[in-house]
Amino acid sequence: MAGAIFIAPATAFFGLFLLFPVVAVLGLAFAEWTGFNVHQIHWVGTRNFHQLYHDGVFRSSLLHTLIFVVGSTVILNVAGLGLAMLVNTRVQGHRFLQLAIVLPLGLSPVLTAILWQQILGPYGFINELLVDTLHWRTQPIGFLGDPNLVLWTVIAASVWQYAGYDMLLYYAGLQGLPKDRMEAAEIDGASALSRLRYVVIPYLRPVIAIVVVLNLIGGWKVFDLVFVLTGGGPNHATEVLSTYLYQQAFTFNLMGYASSIAVVIVVLATISALFRGRLAGDARVS
Amino acid sequence: MISNALRMTRQRRTERAEALKRIPIYTRSVLMLLAYAFAVIAILPILWTLSLSIRSNEDVFSNRVLPHSFLPHNFIEAWQEFHLGLLFEHSAIITLGTVAVSVSLSVLAAYGFSRYRTRLTEGVFVLILTGLMIPPAAIILPFFLTMRQLHLYNSLFAVIIGESAFALPFGVLVLRGYIDNVPVDLTDAALVDGATDWKAFWYVVLPLLRPALATAALFTTISTWNGFIIPLVLLANSTNATITVGLQPLNGQFGNLHLELMSAAAVLAILPILLVFLVARRYYVQGLSAGAIKQ
Amino acid sequence: MTRRLAHRRTRVIQVLPALCLVTAVAAVAAFASHANAAGTKTQAGGNVTIWTWQPPNSDYVNIFQAAGDRYKGAGGGSTTINSLDFNSYFTKFKTASAGGDVPDLMEMSWTGDYHDVINAGDLLPLDSYLKDFPKFFAPTLNSLRYKGHVYGVPLDVNTLTIGYNKAIFQKLHLKVPKTFQQLLALAKPIRKAGYQPLSVNLKDGWPGGDLWFAQVAYTDKSENAIRQAEQGAVKWTDPRFVQATANVKKLQTSGLLANGANSLDFTSAISLFARGQAAMTYPVGNFDTGLIDQASHGKVKYDLFAVPPPNVGQKPLATGGPAIIWSIPKNAKNPQGAIAVLKAMMSAQGTTALVDKNYIPAYPADISSNKSPIYHRMVSFQATAQTRAIFIPNVYNTLLNGVSALLNGTTTPTRLTQGMERAYKSTPH
């Protein structure tokens, strides 16, 4: 079959390098292994999952990841769409804006962490401004040290880095917006807000669906930024599923337990992906 | 075809200019202010790092908001001390390689998935999409063991393979959507004319895909350039590190007291992606806007 | 239609060579680097492969290389040193042992990985070789004993103490505190004068643990409670541990910790002290004395004192432990060569090299008197340095997180130790 020839190379590649390790991880979720000796894999059935259920740190990392996923997705999409529309108006400064928003995408997580520590550390830019220059506070704000604040700091850093991603996707989507419909709405006297609500957003629904799902999946998987910015701390205040997985796998050498966490991540991400159809809506506004 | 495209953009540009004029001046100024404000906020950390990068070592720790020294030589020093030339080279090779491998495999597969829809191929498509859900940290040990069995360790080639595997799903997703919008009549006509499936793909569909390929390439570049955990584990970092991994020790618990050099390195590390985006901007908008993300 | 096809074909043909060239270049470059990769290839004869996570071109690595050269000069093969990133060090070792490709000599971490690697049967017991080495300090060697055998030898040790800015102390007429209360009392006058008292890089986690160990050094008179607790002979909720935790809390309630200490990372903490903004900093050991000098450009003159005891007249104790630990994998191809290189590291020349760079050998050594007073100060604490390790990662991590929570006000000393006991119980052993 001709189709098979086209699909085969990618599938083989995927199967060997991605699928096979994933299956291994699925298997390991039912085992206990330090990773040091292939002959020492012990099968323990569903014990890892039982332990997960009773694990307080896992539960809080699940909660943090959920907050991160929802918080970052909402803010990213609102910001992404808003910025895309702003750029789309072609006012003066829109090119500068577009470049400025996209630039952080090119920063590796280490660099982002270094930058943000310089800005948000107790003796960083913002705190120096507040404490030493403006004297608005006596104690620095613990952006990265106060457990009540730090998760939102991480979300803010993530939004800063990825707003460009959403903006690019929405901007492209906006290019296809049929202008006759917009003009009709304007002629009918619709305000900017209701134009947004009744013309732009319905048109963009499929785009919104994809972008939201991509953000959700990325949120469940988030690792790099959290790892280098806070390492999951202080005291698990920013522990997310992936950082907890990393700790169990590489600090505690509990490969089996870590694999069970991986299974949870994959399941949650898959469920999020299934939302795409719903978000896109079954019938498109004609 | 290019002249057509040019005509279209020129047309769109005049439409845009007219649309801009329709916005009242008052709103336009507010929007302009907003645009600049957001841009400055977005760029603030980078500006701050730039400010740190030109300072002397004493100045950089002095808590002063504005720099009191000007040492552009820091960039040269940072380049040498952190072997940025080597790191950039490795990152570039890996990114180029990953883009080449994953985009070519993706476009082939996307064509197959788009044109030959059966239950089986749909199933494989969904399977590949699940690759998007996998947290790299989870599979890194079995992945690493596989690589080792295939003698693919401590080589840039291994990292290319690893990153490509993760870049495949997104590429397939975007490209299939785009190919779906290429009218079947075109390929049908070619087939009727006696072309083989391959010729239909290569000569009819592929040339139309350039914007979509650029899009896939752009997003793959972004994710590969910043790839952290795969190069971290696959490369024996002393000689083979990438930009992401090579600068990691700077953030470690033993820090680096040459913050100004570190900041200079950070600034230099941003430049390539800036360049890539400037170049790719035109193609990318064309690509996505013509319907790659409409499904 | 055919004309359009031909038009497209020429376009494609034009693009094609460029595409091919790019791919080819990328592939060739990648293969070339693959061929040139400095990996852990097996070496024949008397060659020795060493793994470490010390950065390349660092003092440590230069010292290792010098020992390797001495080994070669004495008839051995060449020594290859692989500097691997710490985060992926053990992952690489896991795959190396699966592939039968282990180094001959490897740096070992003195935490949970040590026990796990031993339990996997991957390390060579070194008991029979101990006679070939200098006599290591007993407490240091003891900490490397597991299930009755020694699987690692220490090269050097470090001690952790408080560094204080002599100029600030002089200006404020402050004396080096002899008791814990006196230390806490320093907070007020220092803050009044506009300085931060004690800069600690708590964001990194481990210094919080060290604050605790510094207290256990005094609350545990048997000097063995932690080792006993690891074996289950003593509970982690033992009153001695609870008291130590309560003492750590006092550091904060007295205002001794610098503002924002919970978010201070290593660089910021050191620079706070090096800029003369903080009167004291902790922990100071030979891993950062050089950095402090560098950061202050020699302008800050400082000296060290151990975290003081509760009562007057009690002997001050610092905490410390092995810095570099060497182990030999069981399947190493050249264990004899590894031992020979180790001996070269600890020979008279090796010892001089260590002392020259301000490292403290893990065995009694002749320290020439023209070393800096700081160095002598650190050495003086060495013989009585107390442990700063808990070998069970789960419990150790609970401690680190617990101290962070303690200082954030979200837990109490009792609850912290209870958490450690729970962590101990839930760890398979």
Side-chain angles (χ1 to χ4, degrees):
Chain A
M1 184 169 92
I5 304 180
F6 287 103
I7 299 176
T11 313
F13 194 83
F14 179 80
L16 179 60
F17 293 108
L18 209 54
L19 201 59
F20 177 64
V22 169
V23 169
V25 165
L26 278 173
L28 278 176
F30 298 97
E32 192 181 270
W33 188 37
T34 58
F36 280 111
N37 191 336
V38 196
H39 304 290
Q40 284 182 344
I41 304 181
H42 299 126
W43 306 107
V44 293
T46 53
R47 191 176 78 187
N48 288 329
F49 292 101
H50 281 285
Q51 213 180 327
L52 273 185
Y53 185 73
H54 295 289
D55 185 346
V57 179
F58 172 74
R59 282 204 302 268
S60 61
S61 65
L62 189 59
L63 180 64
H64 296 148
T65 317
L66 184 64
I67 296 176
F68 181 87
V69 166
V70 174
S72 64
T73 303
V74 167
I75 303 178
L76 275 175
N77 277 278
V78 168
L81 183 56
L83 288 168
M85 290 194 299
L86 186 53
V87 172
N88 205 27
T89 59
R90 297 297 216 264
V91 290
Q92 199 194 6
H94 80 276
R95 272 197 215 283
F96 178 46
L97 176 65
Q98 195 175 25
L99 204 64
I101 301 282
V102 165
L103 213 52
L105 278 174
L107 284 174
S108 65
V110 176
L111 293 178
T112 311
I114 293 174
L115 296 188
W116 282 102
Q117 265 160 16
Q118 289 314 307
I119 304 252
L120 298 176
Y123 298 93
F125 176 62
I126 294 192
N127 279 317
E128 281 298 318
L129 207 61
L130 291 174
V131 175
D132 281 347
T133 315
L134 298 171
H135 299 291
W136 283 355
R137 293 183 63 92
T138 45
Q139 286 267 2
I141 304 181
F143 291 108
L144 292 169
D146 181 349
N148 297 321
L149 212 49
V150 66
L151 188 59
W152 292 100
T153 307
V154 171
I155 292 179
S158 182
V159 166
W160 175 78
Q161 186 154 41
Y162 290 104
Y165 188 79
D166 281 24
M167 187 201 78
L168 285 181
L169 291 168
Y170 279 126
Y171 180 67
L174 283 174
Q175 299 316 301
L177 190 64
K179 53 177 195 27
D180 47 336
R181 224 183 285 168
M182 282 290 274
E183 278 173 20
E186 273 175 50
I187 290 171
D188 282 350
S191 69
L193 205 61
S194 44
R195 276 208 308 270
L196 177 69
R197 232 179 108 194
Y198 294 112
V199 183
V200 178
I201 293 197
Y203 173 79
L204 283 180
R205 263 186 98 167
V207 183
I208 296 180
I210 291 214
V211 178
V212 166
V213 167
L214 283 175
N215 287 153
L216 289 175
I217 295 177
W220 288 117
K221 285 191 336 189
V222 70
F223 174 74
D224 293 358
L225 193 60
V226 181
F227 184 67
V228 287
L229 204 54
T230 61
N235 190 23
H236 298 301
T238 54
E239 198 78 67
V240 292
L241 292 173
S242 280
T243 54
Y244 192 48
L245 185 163
Y246 185 90
Q247 185 197 47
Q248 295 299 307
F250 299 112
T251 313
F252 292 2
N253 294 322
L254 293 171
M255 303 302 300
Y257 198 54
S259 300
S260 59
I261 301 174
V263 169
V264 172
I265 297 178
V266 174
V267 167
L268 289 169
T270 311
I271 294 177
S272 306
L274 295 175
F275 273 116
R276 191 197 67 80
R278 274 193 148 224
L279 282 170
D282 294 314
R284 285 244 252 114
V285 178
S286 50
Chain B
M1 159 125 161
I2 283 197
S3 50
N4 273 344
L6 270 176
R7 213 181 304 144
M8 272 202 312
T9 31
R10 223 179 291 141
Q11 185 185 21
R12 253 197 233 125
R13 230 181 284 153
T14 35
E15 283 170 6
R16 286 276 125 69
E18 281 168 25
L20 184 61
K21 288 204 194 92
R22 282 207 299 271
I23 304 176
I25 284 236
Y26 165 69
T27 326
R28 228 188 297 164
S29 329
V30 170
L31 289 177
M32 180 183 84
L33 277 168
L34 274 179
Y36 277 113
F38 283 132
V40 168
I41 294 177
I43 227 174
L44 197 65
I46 300 175
L47 281 179
W48 177 245
T49 311
L50 187 63
S51 146
L52 291 179
S53 65
I54 49 169
R55 301 188 192 195
S56 67
N57 194 248
E58 293 186 73
D59 195 11
V60 85
F61 282 120
S62 65
N63 299 345
R64 286 193 283 248
V65 175
L66 290 170
H68 281 234
S69 43
F70 183 67
L71 285 144
H73 181 70
N74 282 341
F75 289 102
I76 302 179
E77 240 187 282
W79 184 273
Q80 288 166 342
E81 172 153 337
F82 302 124
H83 309 291
L84 289 183
L86 200 64
L87 297 184
F88 273 125
E89 188 188 309
H90 292 151
S91 285
I93 293 177
I94 289 175
T95 307
L96 273 169
T98 306
V99 167
V101 170
S102 75
V103 171
S104 14
L105 287 178
S106 298
V107 75
L108 283 173
Y111 184 76
F113 287 129
S114 171
R115 289 286 191 255
Y116 301 95
R117 283 188 205 237
T118 65
R119 283 251 296 268
L120 182 62
T121 57
E122 281 298 289
V124 177
F125 179 65
V126 170
L127 188 64
I128 292 193
L129 277 194
T130 60
L132 278 173
M133 332 272 181
I134 316 284
I139 69 157
I140 203 65
L141 185 58
F143 179 79
F144 195 36
L145 282 165
T146 312
M147 285 304 197
R148 233 177 144 139
Q149 289 298 102
L150 299 170
H151 299 289
L152 286 173
Y153 166 67
N154 196 31
S155 69
L156 300 181
F157 188 61
V159 180
I160 291 177
I161 302 269
E163 294 282 0
S164 302
F166 278 97
L168 258 183
F170 187 75
V172 171
L173 178 67
V174 166
L175 287 167
R176 187 181 93 147
Y178 198 83
I179 296 180
D180 280 347
N181 282 306
V182 174
V184 191
D185 321 332
L186 280 180
T187 30
D188 279 352
L191 290 170
V192 160
D193 276 353
T196 62
D197 289 299
W198 173 259
K199 283 219 179 87
F201 166 70
W202 189 258
Y203 293 113
V204 178
V205 180
L206 193 57
L208 293 174
L209 290 178
R210 229 172 308 156
L213 290 176
T215 309
L218 177 65
F219 280 96
T220 306
T221 303
I222 291 175
S223 63
T224 315
W225 185 266
N226 290 338
F228 179 57
I229 201 165
I230 294 182
L232 178 72
V233 178
L234 283 180
L235 297 176
N237 320 106
S238 52
T239 49
N240 260 343
T242 59
I243 277 283
T244 352
V245 171
L247 296 178
Q248 165 72 342
L250 299 183
N251 195 41
Q253 67 174 42
F254 291 104
N256 185 335
L257 289 158
H258 284 293
L259 189 58
E260 74 281 7
L261 293 183
M262 209 160 75
S263 308
V267 171
L268 289 173
I270 300 176
L271 294 180
I273 214 78
L274 176 59
L275 215 68
V276 167
F277 179 65
L278 285 174
V279 168
R281 191 159 45 164
R282 261 198 31 223
Y283 294 109
Y284 134 80
V285 169
Q286 261 187 295
L288 284 184
S289 66
I293 45 182
K294 287 197 214 138
Q295 291 250 350
Chain C
M1 181 54 89
T2 15
R3 231 189 311 136
R4 265 228 233 130
L5 261 177
H7 191 49
R8 287 205 186 94
R9 199 184 301 157
T10 11
R11 186 73 39 68
V12 169
I13 288 179
Q14 285 163 358
V15 170
L16 205 53
L19 254 178
C20 284
L21 190 62
V22 167
T23 325
V25 166
V28 165
F31 269 112
S33 2
H34 177 55
N36 289 334
T40 54
K41 296 203 185 68
T42 53
Q43 315 243 357
N47 291 343
V48 171
T49 310
I50 303 182
W51 279 19
T52 175
W53 57 77
Q54 302 306 322
N57 300 323
S58 58
D59 288 334
Y60 268 132
V61 169
N62 291 335
I63 289 178
F64 306 157
Q65 190 62 58
D69 296 338
R70 285 195 292 279
Y71 165 67
K72 185 173 197 168
S78 52
T79 310
T80 314
I81 301 181
N82 281 337
S83 202
L84 307 172
D85 172 75
F86 182 69
N87 281 323
S88 49
Y89 187 86
F90 283 99
T91 308
K92 293 189 165 103
F93 181 69
K94 288 176 195 179
T95 43
S97 32
D101 207 2
V102 293
D104 299 304
L105 189 63
M106 64 186 291
E107 187 177 353
M108 181 51 62
S109 102
W110 48 272
T111 52
D113 287 309
Y114 185 50
H115 288 193
D116 283 336
V117 183
I118 296 173
N119 285 331
D122 279 345
L123 289 185
L124 204 65
L126 299 174
D127 306 80
S128 50
Y129 298 105
L130 286 178
K131 57 177 171 25
D132 294 335
F133 296 122
K135 200 160 170 349
F136 300 114
F137 294 132
T140 314
L141 193 63
N142 247 358
S143 62
L144 295 174
R145 209 177 289 275
Y146 183 60
K147 294 196 168 154
H149 293 283
V150 166
Y151 292 90
V153 291
L155 177 64
D156 64 332
V157 291
N158 52 28
T159 49
L160 270 50
T161 49
I162 298 181
Y164 71 97
N165 186 323
K166 296 209 281 207
I168 296 183
F169 267 52
Q170 206 167 17
K171 180 168 149 193
L172 303 180
H173 307 294
L174 299 173
K175 289 215 197 345
V176 171
K178 295 270 183 288
T179 69
F180 192 55
Q181 270 308 112
Q182 287 176 4
L183 174 67
L184 298 179
L186 289 177
K188 265 219 189 71
I190 294 178
R191 278 184 183 275
K192 196 138 168 259
Y195 299 103
Q196 300 290 329
L198 184 67
S199 164
V200 186
N201 54 318
L202 288 168
K203 180 168 180 281
D204 293 331
W206 58 270
D210 279 296
L211 286 176
W212 188 80
F213 290 121
Q215 295 304 318
V216 174
Y218 297 119
T219 61
D220 170 30
K221 301 217 176 5
S222 73
E223 296 185 2
N224 202 21
I226 294 184
R227 295 284 91 78
Q228 285 179 299
E230 283 167 357
Q231 306 294 327
V234 160
K235 279 203 184 316
W236 292 99
T237 45
D238 190 285
R240 293 172 286 185
F241 297 142
V242 180
Q243 179 63 48
T245 318
N247 289 346
V248 172
K249 182 68 178 173
K250 288 197 198 134
L251 289 171
Q252 183 190 48
T253 49
S254 64
L256 192 70
L257 296 178
N259 288 348
N262 283 345
S263 322
L264 271 180
D265 64 335
F266 184 74
T267 311
S268 310
I270 296 235
S271 77
L272 208 61
F273 182 70
R275 299 204 296 267
Q277 255 181 286
M280 299 177 280
T281 184
Y282 180 82
V284 177
N286 54 12
F287 60 91
D288 60 357
T289 46
L291 291 173
I292 295 178
D293 291 328
Q294 201 188 326
S296 72
H297 302 281
K299 280 196 236 148
V300 169
K301 301 277 176 261
Y302 65 98
D303 202 350
L304 309 171
F305 62 87
V307 175
N311 303 317
V312 184
Q314 245 180 296
K315 188 174 159 59
L317 300 170
T319 53
I324 301 276
I325 304 171
W326 291 111
S327 291
I328 300 182
K330 191 169 250 171
N331 298 322
K333 296 194 170 61
N334 191 2
Q336 297 304 326
I339 298 277
V341 173
L342 273 180
K343 285 203 273 198
M345 277 190 216
M346 303 183 198
S347 66
Q349 275 174 290
T351 309
T352 314
L354 283 171
V355 172
D356 266 347
K357 294 293 174 195
N358 285 330
Y359 298 121
I360 305 174
Y363 44 87
D366 224 344
I367 316 261
S368 63
S369 53
N370 61 5
K371 292 295 298 177
S372 70
I374 295 274
Y375 185 75
H376 280 283
R377 182 81 73 197
M378 290 193 285
V379 172
S380 72
F381 284 119
Q382 188 40 55
T384 54
Q386 298 299 300
T387 184
R388 55 177 286 254
I390 295 179
F391 284 98
I392 304 175
N394 215 356
V395 178
Y396 181 59
N397 266 274
T398 309
L399 171 67
L400 297 187
N401 286 320
V403 171
S404 174
L406 186 75
L407 297 176
N408 272 320
T410 53
T411 195
T412 65
T414 325
R415 288 221 306 269
L416 188 155
T417 48
Q418 283 171 349
M420 289 170 76
E421 179 68 19
R422 270 202 308 274
Y424 178 73
K425 290 239 169 57
S426 72
T427 313
H429 39 257

